[in-house]
Amino acid sequence: MFDVVVIGSGPGGYVTAIRAAQLGFRTAIVERSFFGGICSNWGCIPTKALLRSAEIFHYLRHAKDYGLSADNVKFDAAAVIKRSRGVAGRMNAGVGFLMKKNKVTVIWGEATIDAPGKITVKASQTSAPKDVAGPGSYQAKHIILATGARPRVLPGLEPDKKLVWTYFEAMNPDRMPKSLLVVGSGAIGIEFASFYRTIGAEVTVVEVLPQILPVEDAEISAFARKAFERQGMKIITGAKVTKLDRKTDSVTATVEAGGKTEPVTVDRVISAVGVVGNIEGIGLEKLGVKTERGCIVIDEFCRTNVPGIYAIGDVAGPPMLAHKAEHEGVICVEAIKGLHPHPMDKRMIPGCTYCHPQVASVGLTEQAAKDKKLDIRVGRFPFVGNGKAVALGEDQGMAKVIFDNKTGQLLGAHLVGAEVTELIQGFVVAMNLETTEEELMHTIFPHPTISETMKEAVLDAYGRAVNV
């Protein structure tokens, strides 16, 4: 008998299990495939390893821009992928170590909830690690679903693992394509488009909405788009792929935009049209757990409509981000413990896209603030006015901030450029502390750093920018 059983060991699941163990709960975690879930094995972490290799390749090819010489620079695809898989392996092993360290019982297999408090685990197709529990019947006072999500499939764009890929195949290709069509320009699509373009593939991106990176501020998205197009990427917005004609070793896509159609022939297609929660085969229908749009419906403390059953992370709906899953898991178990945690404020969840240039944001976009009829001040600062960015050869970027004109509250922050995925957390902390523009102006930013663009954007919102 366990106090808490977590189903799924992705970033949300394993963090939840650790926090539950820290709180004194007798805790178990059920996994059917690999420790760390999609994030550690096929998503967040190994993709960053690929992008890092592409980034270094880019710098080596532009060595002369830095007064250096690098001759005969080559891209070893097999070695790059091997390194990425090695990084994933380290993360996988790390999660297993953390389970042992925190005395979390690992149960290997496929879990089904028979009734509140009762779970049946069947054998998995994946061989189990050493020293884990196996198939059987288990009981728990609280069952937390952290089963994650999988790629969404659109009719006519069904992946076949050879010609039409999801992120699984895109991360471990049989060969590097010379041309590629990416359907969807969210974070996953743009990151793979950026990776493959940097290593030399001809890349076309098709997005059904009017802008790429649709959740981002329109001005930041437009800046990123221009940067991608300067790199040679072809981007078609307000368009959709209506047909795929699959040949032996190529695909011809019919792209419809503005009432016109055009054929696009490429070696491979990546379908990056979003993800859908893994809600099937768990027993939710029998239990009457409410779902909506492919995800489990939860309240502010991750409780479903069935007592004793909870859900966190991707399976509980957007934004489908690893850090959101982790934080939800902590809220969930702390609420079970009676610690009265603060419910999650989704406005303060940062989003990061690790393309080149990087994009990062938190809070309201300018348009969202206007839609709410808010009286706002907007500040901007270009990287070209920042000494550190110029010295790094990374002067193409921008920081943008949005304030409530009446209260000075920071409503949103949006960045594009080098290392902005590291910078955004400064604004996230500021928003969580309910910082005003005055406090940000009085904050001393180190010089020379790219972070100075953040302060300059704040100053610009109030007509006080210095270096532009």
Side-chain angles (χ1 to χ4, degrees), residues 280-321:
E280 301 86 1
I282 312 171
L284 303 185
E285 301 88 349
K286 181 176 66 175
L287 295 168
V289 174
K290 186 177 180 181
T291 61
E292 190 174 275
R293 297 180 180 178
C295 296
I296 298 170
V297 177
I298 59 172
D299 70 6
E300 68 271 26
F301 296 114
C302 307
R303 297 174 294 209
T304 71
N305 61 308
V306 177
I309 299 177
Y310 312 77
I312 66 159
D314 289 1
V315 77
M320 293 175 172
L321 301 167

Side-chain angles (χ1 to χ4, degrees), residues 66-77:
Y66 299 88
L68 305 173
S69 176
D71 298 326
N72 198 30
V73 177
K74 296 181 179 179
F75 189 92
D76 187 337

